[in-house]
Each structure stands twice: as structure tokens, then as C-alpha cells.
């Protein structure tokens, strides 16, 4: 275990030079795949995520259909080459859990009542993993759902805060996640502030929890602006192509 001093120094500088309230660098591009109904590629620090959305389409097998609303089926997958030691390919407990919590979060913002018996499939492929992949995947899924033209109440967005060296900080990197004290990923609907996902790893006091929660919320609003820019850019270049 690394000492706290190595994760954050007395001036509040982190290993990668960030201050406690800084996000890692984020780059989002909408509409990157031709065969998907909607897609998004997202880089968040050292994370690289590709999301493809299909639907609404008839849910199969039929017994999973809901006659009153659509189901949202997110499938989170980490590529074998996405981590330092090759990950065993295929689903594991962690990816099943992440797929479930992301599906439940997305169901809260999609207008599922409009599509009885349908399925909206959200494939999340993690190509490079460096901590925070569930937030990166959910954030990219929000953009890909918009790109697919699926009616939404809002564009869901996610970000984590955590604790390292006794301090609450935004958006943990790999070393911080491995050797830090706590990680608190959240997803929200930015328009209403509704919490769509909240998980916690490690230990926080109530005061630290409140501080980390507020910081993660602020992070979500920052990421939300980057999402909106990526969507605008996609539609501006599509409009320019039509004009030409
Ligand atoms: P998240 O990626 O959402 O933070 P975790 O906290 O479970 O989810 O994982 C933190 C990081 O640990 C991942 O982003 C990845 O870099 C690494 N990791 C997760 N699973 C594995 C694995 N099976 N092998 C190697 N590294 C992994």
C-alpha cells in the first residue's frame, strides 16, 4: 500500500499534477459508428470507451418483453487488452453488476412508456481502463442515446469523487482508486438533479460523504457541458453536409 503522501502532497497536488477539484481530460465524439443507430466514443483520462446503441426494436426473447414499456439493456464489457494484466474475456461478476446499475440508471431517463415490448440495447466496450470506467461508459451512453434519436427526459451523466490521503477529491485516477480510501461514483439527470446511480467503495464519514457527493455533482455538471458540445458538433457538421 502506498503512503498517503505519495497520492497527494501538502500543497494539494495529486500524482498527475491535478488539484483536488480537477477532472481528468475528457474528449467526446458522437456518431462514430455507421451500423449502430447511435454511437459515441469517449476518452476520459486514460479510459477509452466506445458505445453503440440499437433500438428501439422488438425485444427478444419474447418473454423479456414488457407490454407496457421498453426495456433498456446495457451490456458493459471490458476488453481483454484494456488493463495491464490481460483480463479474462467475457462476462464476470463485476461486468454483470455494472451492466445492471447502468441499465437501471438509463431506464430512468428514456421515455420507455412510448415503446411497449421494445428493447433499447446499449453496448459499452471499454478499450482502455484506468479507473472510472462505469462513469465513462454511462456518460458515453447518454450521448449515444441522443445520437440514436431516442426520446429522453434528459441526458444522463456520471462522475465520481473519492478520498485520498485524508482529502476529498474529484475523479480518481488509477493509482488513487487502487490505493485511496474511498470512491463514490454517481450519475444524475442534470436538469432535475435526480440521482440515477450512487455507489460507494471504502469508508467516508457523513461530512466527507456530503463533501464528496457535492463535488461529484459539480463534476457531473462539468461533464454534461462537454456532452452537449459533442452533440452540437455532430449536428452542426451533419447540417453543413446537407447544405453542401
Ligand atoms: P470503475 O472502472 O468504474 O472505477 P472499478 O472500481 O471496479 O470500476 O475498477 C477500477 C479500475 O480497476 C478499472 O477502471 C480498471 O482500470 C481496473 N480493473 C477492473 N477490473 C480489472 C481486472 N479484471 N483486471 C485488471 N484491472 C481491472
Amino acid at each position: 500500500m502506498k503512503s498517503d503522501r505519495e497520492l497527494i502532497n501538502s500543497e494539494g497536488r495529486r500524482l498527475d499534477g491535478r488539484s483536488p477539484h480537477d477532472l481528468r481530460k475528457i474528449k467526446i465524439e458522437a456518431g462514430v459508428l455507421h451500423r449502430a443507430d447511435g454511437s459515441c466514443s469517449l476518452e476520459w483520462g486514460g479510459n477509452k470507451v466506445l458505445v453503440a446503441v440499437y433500438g428501439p426494436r422488438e425485444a427478444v426473447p419474447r418473454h423479456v418483453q414488457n407490454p407496457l414499456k421498453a426495456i433498456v439493456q446495457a451490456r458493459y464489457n471490458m476488453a481483454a487488452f484494456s488493463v495491464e494484466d490481460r483480463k479474462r474475456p467475457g462476462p464476470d461478476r463485476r461486468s454483470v453488476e455494472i451492466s445492471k446499475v447502468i441499465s437501471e440508471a438509463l431506464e430512468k431517463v428514456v421515455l420507455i412508456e412510448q415503446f411497449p415490448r421494445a428493447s433499447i440495447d446499449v453496448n459499452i466496450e471499454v478499450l482502455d481502463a484506468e479507473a472510472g470506467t462505469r462513469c465513462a461508459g454511462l456518460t458515453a451512453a447518454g450521448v449515444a442515446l441522443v445520437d440514436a434519436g431516442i426520446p429522453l427526459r434528459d441526458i444522463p451523466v456520471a462522475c465520481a469523487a473519492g478520498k485520498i490521503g485524508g482529502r476529498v477529491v474529484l475523479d480518481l485516477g488509477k493509482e488513487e482508486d487502487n490505493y485511496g480510501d474511498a470512491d463514490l461514483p454517481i450519475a444524475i439527470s442534470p436538469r432535475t438533479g435526480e440521482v440515477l446511480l450512487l455507489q460507494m467503495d471504502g469508508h467516508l464519514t457523513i461530512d466527507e460523504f456530503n463533501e464528496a457527493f457535492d463535488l461529484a455533482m459539480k463534476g457531473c455538471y462539468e461533464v454534461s457541458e462537454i456532452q452537449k458540445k459533442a452533440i452540437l458538433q455532430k449536428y452542426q457538421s451533419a447540417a453543413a453536409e446537407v447544405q453542401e
Side-chain angles (χ1 to χ4, degrees), residues 26 59 66 81 84 96 99 109 115 150 158 161 186 192 200 227 230:
I26 299 176
N66 184 324
F81 52 81
E84 228 161 275
V96 170
S99 301
V109 290
F115 307 102
I150 290 171
I186 67 167
T192 60
M200 191 169 115
Q227 280 180 313

Side-chain angles (χ1 to χ4, degrees), residues 28 42 102 104-110 135-146 150 152-159 186-191 194 196-197 220 223-224 227-228 231:
I28 305 180
L42 178 147
I102 292 182
E104 288 170 358
L106 298 180
E107 263 192 5
K108 296 198 187 91
V109 290
V110 176
C135 290
L138 196 148
T139 298
V143 174
L145 285 166
V146 174
I150 290 171
L152 302 174
R153 289 186 179 80
D154 199 2
I155 307 168
V157 63
C159 188
I186 67 167
I188 63 162
S189 160
R191 200 167 51 79
E194 186 192 354
L196 308 173
L197 175 152
C220 282
V223 181
S224 169
Q227 280 180 313
K228 285 189 237 166
I231 293 161

Side-chain angles (χ1 to χ4, degrees), residues 104-208:
E104 288 170 358
L106 298 180
E107 263 192 5
K108 296 198 187 91
V109 290
V110 176
L111 292 174
I112 46 177
E113 321 75 56
Q114 292 190 0
F115 307 102
R117 299 188 186 283
S119 173
I120 293 159
D121 301 318
V122 181
N123 296 278
I124 301 169
E125 296 293 329
V126 178
L127 307 177
D128 261 328
E130 201 198 59
T133 58
R134 76 195 64 204
C135 290
L138 196 148
T139 298
V143 174
L145 285 166
V146 174
D147 185 45
I150 290 171
L152 302 174
R153 289 186 179 80
D154 199 2
I155 307 168
V157 63
C159 188
K163 183 182 165 192
I164 53 167
R167 289 194 62 167
V168 170
V169 300
L170 187 63
D171 184 26
L172 301 189
K174 182 84 183 79
E175 299 272 290
E176 296 175 334
D177 184 84
N178 281 359
Y179 305 110
D181 308 315
D183 188 23
L184 178 78
I186 67 167
I188 63 162
S189 160
R191 200 167 51 79
T192 60
E194 186 192 354
V195 175
L196 308 173
L197 175 152
L198 189 153
Q199 297 187 288
M200 191 169 115
D201 213 9
H203 298 279
L204 293 174
T205 64
I206 291 177
D207 285 346
E208 284 168 347

Side-chain angles (χ1 to χ4, degrees), residues 38-87:
S39 60
C40 174
S41 90
L42 178 147
E43 289 175 32
W44 185 327
N47 294 310
K48 231 179 236 164
V49 178
L50 199 56
V51 173
V53 167
Y54 296 87
R57 59 188 180 185
E58 189 184 1
V60 282
R62 287 188 110 191
H63 69 81
V64 302
Q65 292 182 357
N66 184 324
L68 301 176
K69 56 189 183 185
I71 52 169
V72 177
Q73 305 193 85
R75 197 183 120 270
Y76 167 103
N77 180 54
M78 237 169 64
F81 52 81
S82 66
V83 287
E84 228 161 275
D85 313 310
R86 179 178 178 277
K87 182 200 160 277

Side-chain angles (χ1 to χ4, degrees), residues 4 11 19 24 33 88 106 142 176 244:
D4 293 342
E11 279 99 54
S19 69
R24 288 172 287 179
L33 300 172
R88 206 162 154 232
L106 298 180
E176 296 175 334
E244 272 169 26

